[in-house]
Amino acid sequence: MTPPTLYLFGSAAPPLFDVAKVIEAAQADGWDVCLGLTPTAAHWLRESLDGLAVLTGHPVRSEYRLPSEPDVWPGADVILFAPATFDSINSWALGLTQDFVVGVAAEAIGKGVPTVTVPCVSAAYARHRQLERSVGELREQGVTVLHGEDAFVPEAATDRPWDAALDAARQRLAGLV
């Protein structure tokens, strides 16, 4: 049996530096992981990209492919977008797809691919009313958004909600959420 494929997407926020541990945890749970990053996130991890590609067995992607290029990833069974910054959440909710991972996540809504996200924003961004609008929009379109007390708490948390995020992805795959 082929393992389910998890697209793990990340924006440039501090929890991104835990991505290798998240990949290993997902793989230990039986996932085939493909890592996609926003351009800034790829810049943050530039020295680790080759190692992350080896770890996942797939190229790390941060740009759209050319129409003439083959898709080098298997199809996604579930997408986990974490951390997702203020910009990524708002762009995604509005359908603004300049970044590869935001575009794939937006398209996943239309394709019915189960999707989970964990917003990671500063306390100031958390008070901006557009965040709640965007979170509400994504939820209305079927995205599981881990936002609030049981998820990333702006500027207060040293714990990252990776266990909860991976658990939500498992539940979405099983059709439980």
Side-chain angles (χ1 to χ4, degrees):
M1 182 173 158
T2 305
T5 299
L6 174 70
Y7 283 10
L8 178 60
F9 291 165
S11 301
L16 180 69
F17 293 112
D18 295 332
V19 74
K21 293 177 191 171
V22 178
I23 292 167
E24 290 170 342
Q27 289 172 330
D29 201 31
W31 295 96
D32 178 21
V33 181
C34 296
L35 179 62
L37 303 168
T38 63
T40 303
H43 178 72
W44 281 21
L45 297 179
R46 67 188 174 277
E47 295 178 11
S48 304
L49 295 178
D50 290 342
L52 291 167
V54 170
L55 180 61
T56 64
H58 302 284
V60 176
R61 295 186 59 193
S62 61
E63 298 178 350
Y64 286 104
R65 64 180 175 81
L66 295 174
S68 61
E69 295 176 333
D71 195 345
V72 295
W73 285 358
D77 292 300
V78 177
I79 295 174
L80 171 56
F81 197 151
T85 60
F86 184 75
D87 181 66
S88 292
I89 290 290
N90 291 325
S91 295
W92 183 9
L94 293 170
L96 305 175
T97 60
Q98 69 279 4
D99 291 342
F100 164 71
V101 293
V102 174
V104 173
E107 190 175 37
I109 291 170
K111 290 182 172 181
V113 177
T115 306
V116 176
T117 190
V118 182
C120 180
V121 299
S122 70
Y125 281 141
R127 287 189 293 273
H128 193 291
R129 64 184 176 186
Q130 186 58 47
L131 180 67
E132 288 305 320
R133 291 175 182 155
S134 294
V135 165
E137 179 64 26
L138 291 173
R139 284 179 173 153
E140 284 180 28
Q141 294 197 57
V143 176
T144 299
V145 183
L146 303 181
H147 177 67
E149 292 180 17
D150 295 331
F152 180 81
V153 178
E155 299 173 5
T158 55
D159 296 334
R160 307 295 188 218
W162 294 117
D163 290 341
L166 288 170
D167 186 51
R170 281 189 295 274
Q171 289 180 17
R172 290 298 308 264
L173 180 67
L176 300 175
V177 179

